[in-house]
Amino acid sequence: MASHRKSRPSATRVAGIRTPALATAALTSVALLSQTANAAPSEDGKPSLEEVEKKVDALYRQAESATEKYNAAKERTGKQRKQVDTLLDDVARRTDRLNKAREELGSFAAAQYRTGASAPDTSTFLLADTPQDYFDQTQLMNRLTSRQKDAVDDYATQQSATMAKRQEAAKSLESLTETQDDLKTAKSTVQAKLASARELLSQLDAQEKARLAEIEKKQRAAAAAEAAELAKQQAAAERKDAPSSSGPASGGSSPSSGSSYGTKAAKAIAFARAQIGKPYVWGATGPGSYDCSGLSQAAWKAAGVSLPRTTYDQVNAGTTVSLADARPGDLVFFYGDVTHVGIYIGDGMMIHAPKPGAYVREESIYYGGESIIHSVVRPA
């Protein structure tokens, strides 16, 4: 993986962004929404389709942002929990050693009590039967005093180390608790945004719901038409340039098979393509469902490349390139807060897990217009 890193993303987009020759999907979306914007308000006072769609899209964006915060907090929680478990195990071991040192110290105190509180002196010698008895008693007490001193020192060392580890474990537990609070907050935010979106959609009458479905159908058809036309133009250009060209353009529809990156990218794309049709579920990393960063992480993992969990970190996990130089396999990031990501497959198209209620699919990277594209990163 490339070692190039940069600071946490700001709202500035990468330079070199181009608009494809036929951005029909984006233009069609704008046209369709413009048409609905002129629709007359509902006579029964219910919100119009354009009002609901605008609000729901905003709620989905907010939910996706909260999802990435949830993903980050969840990852931190896992790491911190492991750290806390390790520290608590260490505290338990040190406490056991401390108890043993205390028992040893107590045994020496008992022995000293039985033999006398002070070292032998002349009066002890007068009580001894022979000089040899005095010598033996003196040697015994000297050894006892030395071992007792060692026991005291060991106990003090074990006590100090155990207290230090307990304090470290307490701080880690406090940090874990704060992260768990962040996790709960992010989760509640996601659930609240999705609930609000569902409530808004439920207010649409049958006719408006049918209109919404038709608009989405036309948007998908427009995106597919754009992709087909771009692929057709690309194929024609490649045939024309075949005698003098050593390979497809960098933004072409297939990775360069002769490069290491091309090989890995092909595996990542093949994995992502196999997930098409699986539902977007916030916080999911597969295999049955994904959120956007969960899909990109799993796809590149299938290619042997380890990516971080969140879009915030994935955008730093590689080399930033201009969109004009994008190659299949690159990651395309969206929005100023970098809360969405897709896997570029060439010809202005990507595979991504779009939003709640949708499924993994191929879609134009211009689905929301040029302005929402943040940057492109080559992860390996």
Side-chain angles (χ1 to χ4, degrees):
M1 181 178 292
S3 59
H4 303 274
R5 305 289 177 189
K6 60 182 184 297
S7 60
R8 188 177 181 88
S10 65
T12 304
R13 292 187 292 109
V14 67
I17 290 179
R18 59 171 174 79
T19 302
L22 296 173
T24 54
L27 294 175
T28 301
S29 299
V30 172
L32 290 169
L33 292 177
S34 296
Q35 293 171 11
T36 60
N38 297 321
S42 176
E43 294 181 358
D44 58 5
K46 290 185 177 181
S48 65
L49 173 60
E50 61 274 12
E51 292 173 337
V52 170
E53 187 172 38
K54 183 178 180 180
K55 292 179 180 179
V56 167
D57 283 345
L59 286 167
Y60 280 161
R61 276 279 299 112
Q62 294 166 13
E64 192 168 41
S65 178
T67 294
E68 289 305 310
K69 293 178 181 178
Y70 169 85
N71 291 339
K74 185 177 181 180
E75 189 173 40
R76 287 199 308 273
T77 297
K79 292 178 180 179
Q80 290 173 343
R81 183 174 287 113
K82 289 181 180 179
Q83 182 182 25
V84 167
D85 288 344
T86 299
L87 286 170
L88 291 178
D89 287 343
D90 194 9
V91 167
R93 287 192 296 270
R94 290 182 180 278
T95 300
D96 185 56
R97 288 197 291 268
L98 180 64
N99 290 335
K100 290 180 179 178
R102 183 185 291 111
E103 290 173 0
E104 185 176 8
L105 188 61
S107 67
F108 282 126
Q112 189 178 49
Y113 175 79
R114 289 193 300 269
T115 58
S118 61
D121 52 17
T122 305
S123 61
T124 306
F125 170 73
L126 294 176
L127 295 175
D129 294 334
T130 65
Q132 184 63 42
D133 290 341
Y134 173 79
F135 178 78
D136 292 340
Q137 291 176 17
T138 301
Q139 291 295 102
L140 175 62
M141 292 306 298
N142 286 340
R143 288 197 301 271
L144 184 61
T145 302
S146 177
R147 291 182 62 187
Q148 185 176 18
K149 182 179 182 301
D150 291 340
V152 171
D153 291 342
D154 182 57
Y155 178 79
T157 300
Q158 295 296 339
Q159 186 179 43
S160 177
T162 301
M163 290 179 64
K165 283 297 178 181
R166 284 176 177 170
Q167 291 175 352
E168 186 178 356
K171 290 181 180 179
S172 294
L173 280 170
E174 182 179 357
S175 179
L176 175 60
T177 300
E178 291 176 355
T179 302
Q180 288 175 327
D181 290 341
D182 292 341
L183 187 66
K184 292 178 182 178
T185 299
K187 184 176 181 179
S188 297
T189 301
V190 174
Q191 292 174 330
K193 299 301 182 183
L194 295 182
S196 296
R198 287 192 295 269
E199 174 63 23
L200 282 171
L201 290 172
S202 70
Q203 296 176 29
L204 291 174
D205 58 30
Q207 184 177 359
E208 293 287 72
K209 289 179 181 178
R211 286 179 59 206
L212 179 59
E214 184 63 23
I215 288 176
E216 291 178 346
K217 180 180 178 180
K218 289 181 179 179
Q219 288 175 340
R220 290 194 296 269
E226 177 190 19
E229 183 62 29
L230 287 173
K232 182 179 178 181
Q233 292 182 2
Q234 181 67 29
E238 289 177 0
R239 285 195 299 270
K240 181 179 179 180
D241 298 337
S244 59
S245 177
S246 59
S250 61
S253 59
S254 62
S256 174
S257 59
S259 69
S260 174
Y261 180 76
T263 301
K264 293 176 181 178
K267 292 180 180 179
I269 291 173
F271 179 92
R273 186 164 278 123
Q275 312 313 307
I276 289 176
K278 294 182 178 180
Y280 175 104
V281 174
W282 65 274
T285 57
S289 58
Y290 298 89
D291 62 19
C292 66
S293 56
L295 177 63
S296 56
Q297 182 188 49
W300 271 102
K301 182 179 180 180
V305 177
S306 178
L307 291 181
R309 175 64 182 93
T310 68
T311 53
Y312 307 132
D313 293 325
Q314 288 181 9
V315 75
N316 293 321
T319 305
T320 300
V321 298
S322 69
L323 187 53
D325 294 325
R327 293 171 58 184
D330 291 350
L331 301 179
V332 184
F333 294 90
F334 297 87
Y335 307 109
D337 54 358
V338 198
T339 52
H340 189 67
V341 61
I343 304 166
Y344 189 64
I345 59 175
D347 297 330
M349 300 294 290
M350 66 178 173
I351 298 174
H352 69 148
K355 60 185 178 180
Y359 298 83
V360 176
R361 67 192 182 203
E362 290 187 15
E363 190 166 22
S364 170
I365 59 175
Y366 300 99
Y367 71 98
E370 176 184 330
S371 63
I372 69 169
I373 299 176
H374 177 276
S375 57
V376 180
V377 172
R378 188 158 298 151

